[in-house]
C-alpha cells in the first residue's frame, strides 16, 4: 500500500513486473508479436500478511506467481525478497535462497510424484538443503506432517492413497518443511469440496499465526479471498486495476470491473436480491490489448478519454488505489498533456 513500506517490513516487493511471451510464425519461427501476460504489475506483501490476487481466468495471476519463483523468467521488473532481487540471481545464488519462497500448486495430485511416499516427498528438499541434521531427518518430517494435520502412520503411503484434501495437506507440508517466509498459493482449494476448502484455509491461517508466514494467495473465488487476505489486488488483462486493504476494497469497490466481480459473489440469504452486473463482450486478446484503459471495451461507464489514454493510479485513501479515469480529478489536464506529448 501507499505507506506500507514505512510501517511494515516486507516479505516481498514486486516492482513493474512484465512477462511477454513471443508469438512465433513461419518456417523460421520468427517473432511476430508478444502476448502481454503480465504488463507492469507492482505490489508488496508485509511479513506475516496475505495478499490476495483475483481476476478472471487468463488475466495473468498464475504467471505472476511462477515468475516470482523463477519457474519462468521475467521480461522486465524486479522481485525483492530480504533485500535481494531474485530476478538478478544466477542459478547457484538462486538455489541458496530457494527455501525462503515456496509454492502450493492448484492440482495437488499432478504436483506430487506418484512413485514417492509422503515421507520422501516432504523430505526430499529438506535433505537437499540441509534444513536439519540427518539424524533428525525422520523426526522432523513427522513433526511437519503433524503440523499439517497428517498422521505419522501415513508417512510411508503414496499420493493415490489419499483424498484431495489430504493431498493438498501434503503439498502444504512439503512447502512448510523448508521454513519459508513466503508461500505462493495458486488456487490451492479450487479443486476441493467446500467443506475441505474450509479445513485447508483454516490450516493455512493457523500456520501463518504460528510461524509468521506471508502468502500470495491467487484465486478467482472472492469469498475465500475475503476470508484469508489482508490486502487484495484485482487484475484485468495483465494489469492491476485496483488494490487496497481487504476492508477498504470489499466495503467500497471503486473500479467498474471490481464491482462486476463482487456482484457475482453469492450471498447465503434467499431474501437478499443481488444486483448482478453482467459484463458485455469478450475479454480482449493479451496479444493485442486495446489502447487507453484495457477495460473500456466492456465498461458501461466508458468515456472518450478511456479509449485513448491509460489511467493512472488514483489514491483515494492511504490503503486504497484504483486505475480509472472516473476518479481522476484532472482528466482534461491529463488528456491535454498526453496529446502534447504525442505531437512532440
Amino acid at each position: 500500500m501507499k505507506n506500507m513500506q514505512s510501517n511494515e517490513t516486507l516479505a516481498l516487493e514486486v516492482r513493474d513486473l512484465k512477462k511477454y511471451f513471443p508469438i512465433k510464425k513461419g518456417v523460421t519461427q520468427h517473432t511476430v508479436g508478444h502476448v502481454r501476460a503480465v504488463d507492469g504489475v507492482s505490489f508488496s506483501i508485509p511479513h506475516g500478511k496475505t495478499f490476495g490476487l483475483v481476476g478472471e481466468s487468463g488475466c495473468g495471476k498464475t504467471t505472476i506467481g511462477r515468475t516470482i519463483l523463477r519457474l519462468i523468467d521475467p521480461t522486465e521488473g524486479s522481485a525483492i525478497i530480504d533485500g535481494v532481487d531474485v530476478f538478478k540471481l544466477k542459478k547457484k545464488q538462486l538455489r541458496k535462497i530457494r527455501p525462503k519462497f515456496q509454492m502450493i500448486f492448484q492440482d495437488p495430485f499432478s504436483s506430487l510424484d506418484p512413485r514417492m511416499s509422503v515421507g520422501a516427498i516432504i523430505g526430499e528438499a529438506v535433505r537437499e538443503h540441509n534444513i536439519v541434521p540427518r539424524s533428525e531427518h525422520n523426526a522432523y518430517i513427522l513433526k511437519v506432517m503433524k503440523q499439517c494435520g497428517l498422521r505419522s502412520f501415513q508417512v510411508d503411503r503414496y499420493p493415490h492413497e489419499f483424498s484431495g484434501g489430504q493431498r493438498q495437506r501434503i503439498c502444504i507440508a512439503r512447502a512448510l518443511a523448508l521454513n519459508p517466509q513466503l508461500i505462493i498459493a495458486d488456487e490451492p482449494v479450487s479443486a476441493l469440496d467446500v467443506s475441505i476448502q474450509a479445513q485447508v484455509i483454516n490450516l493455512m491461517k493457523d500456520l501463518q499465526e504460528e510461524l509468521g508466514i506471508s502468502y500470495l494467495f491467487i484465486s478467482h473465488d472472492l469469498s475465500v479471498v475475503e476470508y484469508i487476505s489482508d490486502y487484495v489486488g484485482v487484475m484485468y488483462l495483465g494489469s492491476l486495476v485496483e488494490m487496497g486493504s481487504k476492508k477498504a476494497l470489499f466495503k467500497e469497490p471503486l473500479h467498474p470491473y471490481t464491482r462486476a466481480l463482487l456482484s457475482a459473489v453469492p450471498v447465503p440469504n434467499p431474501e437478499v436480491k443481488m444486483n448482478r452486473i453482467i459484463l458485455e463482450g469478450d475479454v480482449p486478446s493479451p496479444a493485442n490489448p486495446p489502447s487507453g484503459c484495457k477495460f473500456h471495451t466492456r465498461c458501461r461507464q466508458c468515456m472518450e478519454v478511456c479509449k485513448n489514454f491509460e489511467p493512472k493510479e488514483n489514491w483515494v485513501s492511504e490503503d486504497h488505489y484504483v486505475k480509472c479515469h472516473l476518479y481522476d480529478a484532472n482528466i482534461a489536464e491529463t488528456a491535454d498533456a498526453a496529446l502534447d506529448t504525442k505531437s512532440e
Side-chain angles (χ1 to χ4, degrees):
M1 302 303 99
K2 195 171 185 179
N3 61 351
M4 183 188 294
Q5 295 181 26
S6 59
N7 295 341
E8 301 177 273
T9 57
L10 302 178
L12 170 69
E13 184 178 6
V14 176
R15 299 175 182 169
D16 197 28
L17 175 59
K18 296 181 181 180
K19 178 57 186 176
Y20 297 169
F21 294 97
I23 302 172
K24 298 185 180 294
K25 193 175 181 180
V27 178
T28 59
Q29 288 293 288
H30 60 284
T31 301
V32 295
H34 290 87
V35 174
R36 300 183 179 184
V38 182
D39 197 11
V41 169
S42 300
F43 62 91
S44 54
I45 308 175
H47 282 290
K49 302 294 184 179
T50 300
F51 185 90
L53 199 56
V54 301
E56 292 173 291
S57 296
C59 68
K61 305 186 299 295
T62 297
T63 303
I64 286 178
R66 290 175 177 268
T67 306
I68 292 170
L69 283 170
R70 287 282 301 271
L71 298 178
I72 52 178
D73 289 325
T75 302
E76 287 182 25
S78 61
I80 300 169
I81 297 177
D82 273 356
V84 178
D85 186 355
V86 297
F87 293 164
K88 294 182 179 179
L89 298 180
K90 296 181 180 179
K91 286 186 177 180
K92 288 185 178 180
Q93 296 171 315
L94 182 62
R95 180 185 174 83
K96 289 181 180 179
I97 70 164
R98 274 289 185 199
K100 291 185 179 180
F101 50 105
Q102 294 294 303
M103 188 166 191
I104 302 170
F105 295 93
Q106 180 176 358
D107 184 358
F109 190 66
S110 64
S111 65
L112 298 172
D113 191 333
R115 298 167 296 179
M116 296 176 67
S117 66
V118 171
I121 289 171
I122 298 172
E124 183 180 26
V126 173
R127 183 173 55 253
E128 191 68 28
H129 289 282
N130 298 314
I131 302 299
V132 294
R134 284 185 176 273
S135 59
E136 301 175 15
H137 189 261
N138 293 334
Y140 181 75
I141 291 173
L142 295 177
K143 175 189 170 185
V144 173
M145 289 179 63
K146 184 179 180 180
Q147 281 182 305
C148 297
L150 297 167
R151 305 290 184 86
S152 58
F153 66 82
Q154 295 172 324
V155 70
D156 294 321
R157 293 187 176 180
Y158 291 82
H160 72 272
E161 300 179 78
F162 294 87
S163 66
Q166 288 174 321
R167 288 177 195 143
Q168 199 61 287
R169 288 175 184 269
I170 296 170
C171 294
I172 294 172
R174 178 178 58 186
L176 187 67
L178 296 178
N179 297 321
Q181 69 177 42
L182 171 70
I183 292 180
I184 297 174
D186 183 13
E187 303 201 30
V189 296
S190 62
L192 307 177
D193 293 337
V194 175
S195 60
I196 306 300
Q197 285 185 11
Q199 293 176 19
V200 172
I201 293 298
N202 286 330
L203 170 63
M204 292 178 68
K205 285 179 71 70
D206 291 343
L207 291 171
Q208 185 175 53
E209 291 178 7
E210 180 183 349
L211 305 172
I213 302 170
S214 303
Y215 293 122
L216 172 58
F217 193 88
I218 299 168
S219 179
H220 61 266
D221 190 330
L222 286 161
S223 300
V224 173
V225 169
E226 183 179 12
Y227 178 69
I228 195 173
S229 300
D230 298 290
Y231 306 98
V232 181
V234 182
M235 283 196 70
Y236 182 78
L237 210 63
S239 301
L240 276 174
V241 296
E242 186 170 357
M243 184 169 68
S245 67
K246 173 181 68 175
K247 184 177 179 180
L249 193 140
F250 279 88
K251 184 178 180 180
E252 190 179 359
L254 300 175
H255 200 280
Y257 179 63
T258 308
R259 291 177 180 173
L261 289 181
L262 290 176
S263 73
V265 178
V267 176
N269 187 344
E271 297 181 0
V272 175
K273 186 176 180 181
M274 295 296 296
N275 184 21
R276 179 73 188 275
I277 301 173
I278 306 297
L279 294 177
E280 299 177 356
D282 297 323
V283 180
S285 169
N288 186 26
S291 59
C293 175
K294 294 180 181 178
F295 186 64
H296 85 260
T297 58
R298 305 174 72 193
C299 183
R300 295 179 179 179
Q301 298 170 278
C302 176
M303 303 177 289
E304 194 63 32
V305 68
C306 304
K307 301 176 182 178
N308 300 299
F309 307 109
E310 184 178 351
K312 298 179 180 179
E313 294 180 3
N314 293 294
W315 288 91
V316 296
S317 66
E318 289 185 346
D319 62 351
H320 194 182
Y321 86 71
V322 60
K323 287 184 178 179
C324 181
H325 287 301
L326 292 171
Y327 303 92
D328 189 348
N330 304 306
I331 290 179
E333 293 179 14
T334 303
D336 291 341
L339 284 172
D340 293 340
T341 304
K342 281 189 173 183
S343 62
E344 291 176 3

